[in-house]
Amino acid sequence: MDKLYIVMPAYNEEANIEAVVSQWHPLVEKIGSDSRLVVMDDGSKDHTYEKLKDLQKKFPQLVGVTKENEGHGATVLRAYHYAIDHGADYVFQTDSDGQTLPEEFWPLWENRQRGGLLIGQRKGREDGISRVFVTRVLRLVLFAVFRVWVKDANTPFRLMKASELEQVLKKIPEGFNLSNVIMTVIYEKENKVTYYPITFRPRQGGVNSINLRKISRIGWQAVKDFRRIRKKL
């Protein structure tokens, strides 16, 4: 039986975490007793981790992990390594803000043996026009730097075979800020990406810690990082 690890980064998600865990935990239960839902707390300043510890009493396949704050990209990388180190066969990543729907996971899981990156493409997005604009700009930047056309590079809805993911991670510097973006580029360059249309709702609670000013700052740094890493791909 394939062992699935669903991994989620979390930062100040006290308002969302119980609902999100209750929605996603049934998936790992259905897939098998060795599968896990791993929520990696990125040094939250609220009670996210305390709530995770309480939720573990109710949800036996939930694993809560906490660490110092590093940012979303670095936390995602740590979560991937955690899953691989604990023997996952497949790794699925989504976020802990309730924007994605668990029921849309199953088409990816049914096609998992095709390998590569199985990723959601956000259709009819409800997270605001500014976020859609950022995605479109990112698509153009990636094409200019890497000469690959990526439909939706940063979607937090992706399934990967652990053995393939392990090789991809070797190409990504530790702590890389836009780790999911560069991961999608790597899979695209190898023609190993399959897109699935998914719903993308507004954040279900709490406050988004990334505003447009932060996005702009991250964007300028990302261009420099992309150029640096391009030579290694």
Side-chain angles (χ1 to χ4, degrees):
M1 184 177 295
D2 289 326
K3 184 191 299 186
L4 170 69
Y5 271 53
I6 296 177
V7 299
M8 296 180 180
Y11 180 71
N12 291 349
E13 293 292 358
E14 180 181 356
N16 289 319
I17 199 64
E18 184 170 359
V20 170
V21 167
S22 66
Q23 291 165 9
W24 285 93
H25 189 269
L27 275 69
V28 293
E29 285 185 307
K30 184 173 181 179
I31 288 170
S33 60
D34 289 334
S35 295
R36 296 289 182 269
L37 171 60
V38 179
V39 181
M40 185 159 290
D41 172 59
D42 185 27
S44 293
K45 297 178 181 179
D46 64 4
H47 298 289
T48 298
Y49 184 57
E50 287 75 9
K51 293 199 74 170
L52 281 171
K53 289 192 291 185
D54 287 339
L55 289 169
Q56 286 179 133
K57 303 170 186 175
K58 181 180 179 180
F59 299 100
Q61 290 170 241
L62 169 66
V63 179
V65 181
T66 192
K67 62 178 185 62
E68 293 183 359
N69 180 261
E70 297 176 288
H72 184 277
T75 303
V76 167
L77 287 177
R78 287 194 183 276
Y80 289 148
H81 284 292
Y82 182 96
I84 292 168
D85 292 343
H86 286 78
D89 296 309
Y90 289 88
V91 182
F92 177 80
Q93 186 267 323
T94 191
D95 284 344
S96 53
D97 51 17
Q99 291 185 274
T100 57
L101 297 176
E103 57 266 30
E104 294 182 340
F105 163 81
W106 295 111
L108 281 69
W109 184 247
E110 291 167 0
N111 289 288
R112 64 192 181 278
Q113 293 183 354
R114 71 168 54 191
L117 174 63
L118 283 64
I119 184 172
Q121 182 177 3
R122 294 170 283 192
K123 298 289 189 179
R125 291 175 59 169
E126 301 174 27
D127 57 334
I129 189 66
S130 60
R131 295 304 179 99
V132 175
F133 175 75
V134 169
T135 297
R136 291 175 177 173
V137 171
L138 177 61
R139 186 184 302 149
L140 294 174
V141 170
L142 294 176
F143 183 77
V145 176
F146 297 105
R147 289 294 184 265
V148 291
W149 189 251
V150 183
K151 294 179 181 178
D152 202 346
N154 205 25
T155 309
F157 199 93
R158 52 186 64 214
L159 178 66
M160 299 146 287
K161 191 172 183 179
S163 58
E164 295 180 355
L165 174 60
E166 185 174 15
Q167 298 306 309
V168 170
L169 291 176
K170 292 178 180 179
K171 301 178 182 180
I172 303 175
E174 183 178 349
F176 194 83
N177 192 38
L178 294 179
S179 53
N180 270 349
V181 173
I182 201 66
M183 174 186 298
T184 308
V185 168
I186 293 170
Y187 277 106
E188 281 280 12
K189 289 178 75 69
E190 298 175 356
N191 295 313
K192 292 183 177 180
V193 179
T194 306
Y195 291 94
Y196 296 80
I198 65 165
T199 306
F200 202 68
R201 304 183 293 176
R203 162 178 280 277
Q204 298 301 291
V207 178
N208 200 319
S209 61
I210 301 294
N211 54 38
L212 280 178
R213 182 176 296 180
K214 285 187 177 180
I215 289 173
S216 298
R217 187 169 65 248
I218 291 170
W220 283 115
Q221 183 60 45
V223 172
K224 298 177 184 177
D225 292 341
F226 290 157
R227 288 174 175 170
R228 188 178 71 252
I229 201 174
R230 176 177 56 187
K231 299 176 183 179
K232 300 179 181 180
L233 301 184

